[in-house]
Amino acid sequence: MHEVAKGLAGIIVTETTASMVDGSAGHLTYRGYAIEDLTTYANYEETAYLLLHQRLPNLHELTDFQQSLGTQMALEPHFVEVMQRFPKNCHPLTILRTLISMLGVYDPTADDNSLETELHKAYRLIAYTPIFTAAWSRLRRGLTPIPPDKNVGLAANLLYMHTGLIPTPAEVAALNVYLILMADHSLNPSTFTSRVVASTDSDIYSAITAALGALKGPKHGGANEATMEMFMEIGNPENVPSFFTEQVKGKGRKIMGFGHRVYRTTDPRSVILRTHAETLAKNSDNTRWFDIAAGLENLALADPYFMERRIYANVDYYSSVLLYMLGIEPDLMPLVFAIGRMAGWVTHILEQRLENRLIHPEAQYIGENDRVWVKLEDR
Ligand code: CMC
């Protein structure tokens, strides 16, 4: 019998130069740059370029990259026709997963895995994910999709295409921070999934479609949605103590947006997101959701159960408040996560292609042996 690492916990299966997560120190870097610096000085496109090209762009390269994304941002009629037939109550991530799969249907180069073509498809995937997200957010409300404004960046465009209003600089800055923080996180479940698919030499659209499937669950990318729903269930800062006593302590309910496989200290992303969520809340004169989140976090941090297990707020905790303050409905939050993580997924797929070895782990068989065959008519 071999030792089994359930959930692959602590198992190193590949090497990467994209991002480094130090779970004990609470430290995250992309290509060696601290997220604290990236969220202070960069925007999402600059970060995506850094991940894809392994270095920061100069001004000319960044402008080219943004223009390249801008020219690819277009919603062709065949996508709208199909979207109009989708049931409006379907989970939006299921819609996005299907549309990304469709993107491969309409790309004649889908099965060309050469690096140059893959890079072009990577740009295409980064450009289309916000287009699909905003278009579906409008179509399901019975509204017409809004074409992107080619003169603004990805974060501003997402908000504009979603609401139809020009976002404030503070809103754009907050969304950029969120997207940067989601851009990569080493071998998380969806990134691992994308690398497994790429390792079979399958196409990039299949790998991203599979990654979106892994992202959807509430233990991963669905956690921001589940966290916001939990805050809505609490409803009011005054209800936080009773929720904690009755639901968390009394019924053993998990606090959504809390806990992490790798971090045994505060998730550094949640520290940054907390500040931005608080600023947005104060600027909007609606601190209800932030106050609920902060109140619940304070109770958990002082509770022996959470202290002994070293369970802290993760990236999804304050990001749910931040996204809600930006007008993003809870069930669209995992899609905004996907918009940010797209840069990381495509980077890891390219990295996998460069030094590919088929990912093929094994399982310990614990079933029955030497069973005697019984004929169908005798069972
Ligand atoms: N609330 C209460 N207890 C918790 C929580 C929580 N949020 N998270 C973990 N625990 C407990 C868990 O019950 C277990 O207790 P015990 O040792 O008594 O059995 C212990 O802590 C270890 O937890 P685990 O579930 O075995 O840890 P894991 O590494 O397998 O799972 C996790 C990590 C993120 C799935 C889990 O913490 C969780 O379900 N959190 C809530 C969902 C969530 O916020 N997910 C987002 C993760 S970060 C972003 C991302 O990856 O997309």
Side-chain angles (χ1 to χ4, degrees):
M1 293 289 261
H2 301 278
E3 201 183 318
V4 177
K6 284 269 172 83
L8 293 180
I11 302 291
I12 312 283
V13 299
T14 193
E15 293 168 328
T16 183
T17 60
S19 60
M20 194 274 300
V21 184
D22 182 338
S24 338
H27 196 43
L28 171 62
T29 58
Y30 299 164
R31 303 277 187 209
Y33 293 97
I35 52 162
E36 289 76 9
D37 283 342
L38 289 163
T39 50
T40 306
Y41 304 116
N43 64 13
Y44 176 69
E45 287 91 322
E46 218 171 333
T47 308
Y49 188 102
L50 168 70
L51 285 168
L52 273 168
H53 295 275
Q54 307 180 26
R55 61 172 177 81
L56 288 168
N58 61 32
L59 189 58
H60 176 68
E61 289 165 332
L62 181 60
T63 312
D64 266 7
F65 180 52
Q66 282 172 323
Q67 275 171 358
S68 174
L69 293 182
T71 45
Q72 301 198 50
M73 280 188 164
L75 191 64
E76 292 98 330
H78 51 259
F79 287 114
V80 181
E81 280 159 28
V82 170
M83 287 166 95
Q84 275 163 340
R85 274 185 249 132
F86 286 149
K88 304 262 185 301
N89 59 355
C90 182
H91 195 284
L93 198 60
T94 302
I95 303 285
L96 178 65
R97 193 195 64 217
T98 306
L99 292 168
I100 292 292
S101 186
M102 256 184 88
L103 206 52
V105 174
Y106 289 99
D107 184 349
T109 69
D111 293 313
D112 175 354
N113 293 350
S114 66
L115 281 181
E116 201 185 319
T117 319
E118 286 287 77
L119 196 58
H120 180 73
K121 285 181 266 178
Y123 285 21
R124 192 163 186 252
L125 282 155
I126 292 171
Y128 267 90
T129 314
I131 293 277
F132 286 151
T133 300
W136 180 247
S137 92
R138 293 186 70 81
L139 282 168
R140 73 172 181 167
R141 284 179 281 154
L143 303 170
T144 310
I146 296 175
D149 177 350
K150 309 265 181 204
N151 300 314
V152 299
L154 190 146
N157 244 323
L158 176 64
L159 293 173
Y160 167 64
M161 292 187 292
H162 172 59
T163 61
L165 305 169
I166 310 265
T168 65
E171 288 170 336
V172 177
L175 187 56
N176 261 308
V177 165
Y178 173 75
L179 294 174
I180 291 169
L181 292 175
M182 305 320 287
D184 197 33
H185 204 259
S186 194
L187 220 55
N188 58 86
S190 56
T191 303
F192 179 57
T193 304
S194 75
R195 288 188 79 131
V196 170
V197 177
S199 85
T200 71
D201 284 343
S202 181
D203 69 285
I204 195 168
Y205 297 104
S206 297
I208 298 294
T209 303
L212 284 162
L215 187 81
K216 190 177 172 205
K219 287 190 171 164
H220 187 18
N224 49 16
E225 173 184 0
T227 304
M228 194 62 221
E229 280 168 354
M230 179 185 72
F231 294 151
M232 287 171 155
E233 182 188 333
I234 297 171
N236 208 299
E238 287 88 74
N239 300 336
V240 168
S242 59
F243 178 85
F244 188 70
T245 313
E246 288 161 25
Q247 299 293 326
V248 180
K249 302 299 290 178
K251 294 194 179 147
R253 258 179 79 172
K254 273 188 174 175
I255 299 184
M256 297 315 288
F258 254 67
H260 199 278
R261 172 63 62 82
V262 183
Y263 291 117
R264 287 289 165 255
T265 181
T266 309
D267 181 335
R269 300 167 297 178
S270 83
V271 178
I272 300 170
L273 288 162
R274 184 189 157 114
T275 309
H276 287 272
E278 185 173 18
T279 306
L280 278 183
K282 286 189 173 149
N283 288 349
S284 75
D285 284 335
N286 175 10
T287 61
R288 171 157 59 136
W289 307 112
F290 178 81
D291 291 344
I292 290 174
L296 187 58
E297 183 189 29
N298 288 342
L299 290 180
L301 291 181
D303 187 88
Y305 174 92
F306 288 86
M307 287 160 83
E308 279 158 20
R309 289 169 180 75
R310 294 194 280 169
I311 305 170
Y312 300 89
N314 62 48
V315 69
D316 292 310
Y317 195 72
Y318 284 105
S319 64
S320 67
V321 177
L322 181 144
L323 293 175
Y324 200 65
M325 300 308 302
L326 293 175
I328 311 282
E329 298 97 320
D331 64 353
L332 287 177
M333 291 177 184
L335 285 75
V336 188
F337 186 150
I339 292 169
R341 187 55 54 86
M342 191 58 73
W345 288 331
V346 292
T347 298
H348 278 267
I349 291 168
L350 292 178
E351 199 174 55
Q352 185 69 36
R353 298 247 191 264
L354 277 175
E355 266 189 64
N356 187 34
R357 178 130 201 255
L358 177 70
I359 299 174
H360 188 322
E362 292 176 47
Q364 179 78 57
Y365 179 68
I366 55 163
E368 292 183 50
N369 288 310
D370 303 324
R371 297 179 83 182
V372 177
W373 181 255
V374 183
K375 283 196 258 172
L376 187 59
E377 57 272 26
D378 296 337
R379 282 178 229 154

